[in-house]
């Protein structure tokens, strides 16, 4: 649970990875989805809006059934990494986190 900066209420987040990079505290959050259909742009937009008000430095979206092409394009434009269940075995998570944090910290 993370505190929303606007409402001051607690918000549920699926996974939070906290650490320090160059002495600075960072938080990478992962939102997960297990639906029959690929995740759409509405979920990407909703996740982005939610995390704009949370202490999230980088956001990763995971969908068991993948993403629509539009959802992937929008996530990429926002700097949000996406991966599906098929991507898990081939994903280099340390590099993924490094890319996300460099985007947010530079």
């Amino acid at each position: 649970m993370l505190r929303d900066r606007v409402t001051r209420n607690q918000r549920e987040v699926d996974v939070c990875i906290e650490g320090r990079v160059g002495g600075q505290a960072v938080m990478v959050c992962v939102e997960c989805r297990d639906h029959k259909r690929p995740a759409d742009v509405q979920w990407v937009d909703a996740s982005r809006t939610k995390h704009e008000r949370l202490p999230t430095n980088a956001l990763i979206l995971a969908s068991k059934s993948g993403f629509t092409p539009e959802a992937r394009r929008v996530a990429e434009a926002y700097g949000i990494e996406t991966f599906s269940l098929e991507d898990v075995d081939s994903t280099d998570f340390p590099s993924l986190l490094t890319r996300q944090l460099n985007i947010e910290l530079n």
Side-chain angles (χ1 to χ4, degrees):
M1 301 297 284
L2 298 176
R3 186 171 305 279
D4 185 304
R5 286 189 288 264
V6 175
T7 67
R8 309 300 296 160
N9 293 327
Q10 294 289 319
R11 301 287 307 266
E12 181 183 341
V13 176
D14 293 324
V15 178
C16 290
I17 304 163
E18 295 180 78
R20 298 190 84 66
V21 175
Q24 182 177 354
V26 295
M27 183 174 306
V28 177
C29 293
V30 181
E31 293 287 359
C32 304
R33 186 174 180 149
D34 182 7
H35 290 197
K36 290 181 182 178
R37 293 185 176 174
D40 60 17
V41 70
Q42 286 81 13
W43 186 56
V44 172
D45 285 338
S47 297
R48 177 180 184 242
T49 300
K50 173 182 175 180
H51 283 272
E52 284 179 340
R53 299 192 330 242
L54 299 176
T56 304
N57 297 96
L59 178 60
I60 298 171
L61 300 179
S63 171
K64 182 177 180 180
S65 56
F67 294 82
T68 65
E70 180 185 25
R72 283 199 188 268
R73 283 193 307 273
V74 169
E76 183 179 352
Y78 290 151
I80 299 170
E81 292 284 343
T82 59
F83 67 95
S84 65
L85 189 58
E86 294 86 34
D87 299 330
V88 170
D89 289 334
S90 63
T91 299
D92 178 1
F93 285 98
S95 292
L96 178 118
L97 293 174
T98 300
R99 267 196 323 272
Q100 282 294 307
L101 293 175
N102 283 339
I103 291 168
E104 296 297 325
L105 295 177
N106 288 336

